Structure formats: C-alpha cells, structure tokens
Amino acid sequence: MKKLGLIFLLSLLGVTLSASDISVDGIYYNFDETTREAQVTFRGDESDDGWMGFPASGLYVGDLVIPPSVTYEGVEYKVTTIGKNAFAGSRQLTSIHFPATITGFGYDAFPLCLSLHTVTVDEENPYYFVYSGVMYQKEPLEIFFVPRALSGVVEVYDGVTQIPPTAFNSCSMIEYVSIPNSVQTIGEGAFMRCSTLAEVAIGEGVTAIKREAFSDCLSLQIVTLPSSIKTIGASAFSGCGNLLFISLNEGLETIGSYAFYGCTYISAISLPTTLKSIGDKAFLDCYSLSIVRNNSPLEVVAGATTNGYVAYYANEVMTTLVAGNKISPNTLLVGNGTIRLVNVKNQKLSLYNLVGSALYEGTIPSDDFTLSSIPCGLYLVSLSGRVEKVMISNP
C-alpha cells in the first residue's frame, strides 16, 4: 500500500521512472535489441518504484566505471545513454567514470548522490568533458553537473557564459572558486549553502548576481566585485555571517532587498557613484556596519532605516572629501593590499585603521614608497596635512 501511494504521488508530480533488474557486473541496464544500444539505469522491482524502494546500500556504491559496451545473453550492446534518475539516491557512490560512447543523460540522473566527489569522462567523448572537477557539456558550452562532494579549489572553465541556477548549491566542501571573465551571470542559488566557501574571485564580465546566489555561505569572508557588475539580486549574500569585506565597485546600479541581510561582521562599506537604488532591508542585522562612505546620489543618513538600513548602525556617514583636502590620485596609488606614494620623499605619512590605531607613522624615505601586505578594509591616510580615506582590496 505504501509503494502504491508513492507511485501515485510520483504520477501527480509528473515523474516517470525507468528501472531495470538486468544487472551486468553490478550495473543496471535497459537494452534495445533493435539498435543494440544499452542505457544505464537503476535497480527496479515488481512495483516499479525503483530507487525509491531501496536503502542506499542496495543502490550504486563506491567507485563506478561505466563500460563503453556490455554483453548480455551473448549479444554485445553499446552503452550510449544514462537514464533518468539513474544514480538517484546512491548516497554511498563516490566516483563515476563515463566512456567516450555516452551521448546523453536523462533528467535528474544524480539527485541525493551526497558522497559523489569525482566524475571523469573519457577524453575521446565528443559531448562532455571535466575541468577542475566539474562536468561540462561541449555544445553549447555550459556547466552540466557538479558533484556535491567536490572539495577544495574550483576554477570555472573559461568560455562559460553563466553559472546556472543551483549549479553548486550545497557543495559543502569547496573552499575557493575562481569565476572567469567570460561569465556574465551568476544564477539564482548558484552557490547557496556552500558552507566552507571562504573566498570567490569574480571576473570582469559578470553583470548580474542573481537572487540567493551566495546565501548562507557561512564561511565566506572576502568578496571583491568587478566594475562590470550592475545588479546584486535579492538575498544574494544573506546569511553570510562571517563576511568581513565586500567591495562595491563603480558600475554597480542596484542592490536587491535583503542582499546582505545578517552579514554581521561587515564593518565598513563604500557606496559607488553609480548606485541608483538599495532594496528593502538590504543591510538589516549588519550590526557591525558602523562606517559608511556614500559616494552615491542616494540620501544616506546615519541611524535611518531608509535605503535598505545601510546606515542604520553607522556612527557616521562619510561623503567624498572636498578636492582641496584630498591627496592627488597621481600621488596616492591604491592596489590589492598595497598603498604606493610617488614623489613625496621626506613628507610625513600616517596610516590608521577604523579604530584609530596607527599602522604606520614616519617620514617617507624615497620618491617611490610602497606599504604592502595591508589587510583588506577601510583606512585613513594622512600625508602632510592632507587626508584621504581608502578602501584596500584583498592582498
């Protein structure tokens, strides 16, 4: 009765399962006697509820190698496709190798493969390849599948134009992601709940970060946005409780509602001149956001709930300093983790952090002087009576 109820539920959801009890060397197949082709599927039973009716130990486990062909009852079949739900529920499956003969995959082939950390594809396969642990489709070029137990550093293949929605969702062991300049969009929930992801390098080319793209990335600490980004979607970084630094570069126009909700460790932020709107409660519960520099046309007032609570917790809102009080941009050059000063030999230099501690005080000894290895954040530079506040990006 329980199984009949499950079948009825799946029919309401439009789910059609394809299963088989024909097993050869531990792999289940459907055979087409006309074409002499085989499809990899999952174990079935009399009720045809397939993988839903079996414990994890009864499904695929360990390291699985799909052969290019298989012989059954004296007939050789070419293995060409992976069926719908083929590996679904195989929680103990750790790796899969696909041969060059595979031409296509059925819908939802890998759900609940929570231990799957490695996928490889024969280099002669004309349709798929693997790069930096991620499986790609060749034509059109796009991310096809990300193993949920993928770990360490991930470099997205250069040429991909988007990170699809939920592509890396719940990949709880990746630590660093590099996104190339070819990517234009980071899709909804693309990196949602990647709990060990600490840093993301976003290439020049991304114009939009969609809703919840990085939400609940609990280890995320550093995000530097390129000038190409126009839109940060709703809840894009919500729940990133350890986010320390976010650089909002010139070019950004829209920050969506709840975009940084609950980012409790952000202490300073600079709003670019191009910013047009901040959504409702975008910075709500950012309790440490005490310093806001407003270069935008928006009216930002300390303690106000307007403009997404961006200055609600602020002690002050700084605006662009008057020209006569600023250090010349030809003199003060700010880089990633560095401050360089040119043609100011023998002038007095002081560098302070946001709590007023002096990181450097002294007379500049040369005409080309650089302070390096400066942690990311907002700083105050004083040079012979002239003052400038600068934002330092990741070293």
Side-chain angles (χ1 to χ4, degrees):
M1 189 69 174
K2 180 179 178 182
K3 291 181 178 180
L4 290 175
L6 177 59
I7 295 171
F8 176 70
L9 175 61
L10 292 175
S11 67
L12 289 178
L13 295 174
V15 176
T16 302
L17 300 177
S18 175
S20 175
D21 274 325
I22 301 175
S23 173
V24 179
D25 296 328
I27 300 175
Y28 295 93
Y29 297 96
N30 286 326
F31 295 109
D32 188 321
E33 296 181 359
T34 303
T35 63
R36 299 290 175 90
E37 293 181 346
Q39 178 186 75
V40 176
T41 181
F42 53 87
R43 182 180 176 185
D45 70 2
E46 293 179 357
S47 300
D48 196 31
D49 63 356
W51 64 272
M52 300 289 286
F54 294 95
S57 59
L59 300 170
Y60 294 113
V61 299
D63 302 323
L64 187 65
V65 178
I66 307 299
S69 64
V70 61
T71 299
Y72 177 66
E73 294 185 343
V75 178
E76 184 177 13
Y77 295 85
K78 183 179 180 181
V79 181
T80 58
T81 57
I82 306 298
K84 181 178 181 179
N85 301 118
F87 307 107
S90 297
R91 296 171 184 265
Q92 297 177 21
L93 180 63
T94 54
S95 71
I96 308 176
H97 175 76
F98 295 107
T101 55
I102 294 296
T103 61
F105 288 75
Y107 176 74
D108 234 9
F110 305 96
L112 298 177
C113 293
L114 303 182
S115 300
L116 183 59
H117 56 73
T118 303
V119 173
T120 55
V121 178
D122 189 288
E123 62 182 13
E124 298 298 323
N125 190 293
Y127 302 101
Y128 303 95
F129 70 98
V130 173
Y131 179 81
S132 191
V134 176
M135 188 173 178
Y136 293 83
Q137 179 177 284
K138 290 184 178 181
E139 186 60 43
L141 178 61
E142 58 187 26
I143 293 176
F144 179 75
F145 172 66
V146 181
R148 284 305 179 261
L150 183 66
S151 63
V153 175
V154 176
E155 181 181 351
V156 177
Y157 189 78
D158 192 5
V160 171
T161 58
Q162 69 164 331
I163 309 294
T166 71
F168 292 84
N169 190 318
S170 300
C171 287
S172 60
M173 290 186 284
I174 59 174
E175 300 170 2
Y176 175 89
V177 173
S178 175
I179 299 175
N181 295 342
S182 61
V183 172
Q184 300 170 15
T185 303
I186 300 176
E188 293 186 7
F191 295 93
M192 186 177 184
R193 290 191 291 271
C194 290
S195 56
T196 61
L197 181 61
E199 186 174 354
V200 178
I202 302 176
E204 292 281 352
V206 175
T207 60
I209 298 176
K210 297 293 188 178
R211 173 186 291 270
E212 297 181 323
F214 294 94
S215 67
D216 295 326
C217 289
L218 302 180
S219 299
L220 191 61
Q221 294 182 320
I222 300 171
V223 176
T224 301
L225 303 182
S227 58
S228 58
I229 289 183
K230 305 295 184 184
T231 303
I232 298 175
S235 301
F237 295 92
S238 65
C240 296
N242 286 298
L243 186 62
L244 297 172
F245 176 74
I246 178 75
S247 173
L248 306 179
N249 285 349
E250 291 294 320
L252 179 66
E253 297 179 355
T254 304
I255 298 175
S257 60
Y258 293 92
F260 297 96
Y261 171 71
C263 294
T264 57
Y265 282 99
I266 297 178
S267 60
I269 202 163
S270 181
L271 305 178
T273 62
T274 52
L275 188 63
K276 297 178 181 178
S277 66
I278 303 176
D280 183 45
K281 298 181 176 64
F283 292 90
L284 183 64
D285 288 356
C286 293
Y287 301 117
S288 301
L289 187 52
S290 58
I291 300 296
V292 177
R293 180 171 183 175
N294 183 30
N295 297 318
S296 77
L298 303 175
E299 183 178 355
V300 178
V301 179
T305 61
T306 55
N307 288 308
Y309 282 68
V310 67
Y312 182 71
Y313 308 97
N315 298 321
E316 62 172 316
V317 175
M318 300 180 297
T319 57
T320 303
L321 302 178
V322 295
N325 199 32
K326 293 184 68 176
I327 302 171
S328 167
N330 295 323
T331 297
L332 177 62
L333 306 173
V334 179
N336 290 340
T338 64
I339 292 177
R340 179 185 175 195
L341 294 115
V342 180
N343 296 325
V344 287
K345 183 178 179 179
N346 296 326
Q347 293 190 36
K348 186 177 180 180
L349 171 66
S350 298
L351 177 66
Y352 301 94
N353 61 19
L354 290 180
V355 296
S357 299
L359 302 183
Y360 178 88
E361 287 185 312
T363 301
I364 299 175
S366 63
D367 281 331
D368 195 333
F369 179 70
T370 299
L371 294 173
S372 58
S373 300
I374 302 172
C376 59
L378 192 63
Y379 295 88
L380 182 69
V381 177
S382 175
L383 180 67
S384 297
R386 290 167 293 166
V387 179
E388 176 67 284
K389 294 181 179 71
V390 297
M391 187 74 80
I392 301 298
S393 299
N394 186 36

